[in-house]
Amino acid sequence: MKICIDCDDAAVNLKRVLFDYLKEKGVDITDLDYSASKENSLYPEIGYNLAKQIQLGNFDRGISICGTGLGMAMIANKVEGVFAGTCHDVFSAERLRKSNDAQIITMGERVIGPELAKKIIDAWLGSEFDGGGSTPKVAQMRDLEKESFHPKNQ
Ligand code: RB5
């Protein structure tokens, strides 16, 4: 499984902690480091770049971090075929995969500490989509997404 990670200026420390943690564990992780190629970049373009990588199939999952995790989730969900959710607890991180089949987890460095963030990432990485009762719900989400991105009456 190929994982990518990135952050805005509010989450540089947490990105480093999680990148090092996952690298140490042998996870195939890439730091996209969008800000290195564009000075003063803002969270929407950074989060968009990461979500596009998922959409293009270059990575299986992504970790997108900003001050709160909220802006990163909002922009990722504007990329067709990509689902993202903000998680600051272990239970939600599991459900994000098991129930929602989201490829991207977002977190906020201004919200949680690094040790909890590691536990959350462990839970998220260790979880896969459960299918079952969640299958028609996720399918409906994809149908509605299609309708929203490609309205029939236009
Ligand atoms: C800082 O730019 C802050 O707004 C950002 O990191 C994030 O929290 C947005 O959702």
Side-chain angles (χ1 to χ4, degrees), residues 4-153:
C4 57
I5 190 168
D6 213 347
C7 70
D8 72 354
D9 61 331
V12 175
N13 292 324
L14 186 54
K15 181 176 83 168
R16 194 177 310 121
V17 166
L18 291 179
F19 180 84
D20 291 348
Y21 177 65
L22 292 174
K23 198 88 194 158
E24 182 105 337
K25 288 180 88 157
V27 172
D28 182 355
I29 184 160
T30 301
D31 181 359
L32 299 177
D33 206 7
Y34 181 90
S35 308
S37 60
K38 185 165 182 266
E39 222 176 305
N40 300 321
S41 47
L42 306 176
Y43 75 79
E45 58 192 312
I46 299 165
Y48 183 77
N49 176 62
L50 185 143
K52 284 299 285 187
Q53 298 298 315
I54 300 292
Q55 186 193 47
L56 293 168
N58 295 334
F59 294 92
D60 303 300
R61 296 199 202 172
I63 303 170
S64 208
I65 321 170
C66 59
T68 59
L70 301 176
M72 287 304 200
M74 289 164 72
I75 191 64
N77 282 309
K78 298 203 181 301
V79 176
E80 192 173 10
V82 174
F83 295 151
T86 305
C87 295
H88 292 125
D89 69 278
V90 167
F91 180 74
S92 301
E94 272 179 21
R95 296 326 308 177
L96 187 67
R97 286 296 313 149
K98 291 184 176 183
S99 303
N100 307 113
D101 202 15
Q103 308 99 321
I104 297 177
I105 186 169
T106 78
M107 289 194 274
E109 179 174 323
R110 295 174 181 162
V111 182
I112 47 164
E115 295 311 315
L116 177 56
K118 288 180 195 170
K119 293 251 179 288
I120 288 167
I121 291 299
D122 282 343
W124 175 73
L125 274 180
S127 305
E128 276 306 337
F129 184 52
D130 260 353
S134 294
T135 299
K137 298 167 190 167
V138 171
Q140 187 176 64
M141 200 145 57
R142 293 200 184 281
D143 288 346
L144 292 171
E145 179 190 56
K146 207 168 285 168
E147 198 176 301
S148 167
F149 276 87
H150 309 282
K152 286 193 187 89
N153 296 328

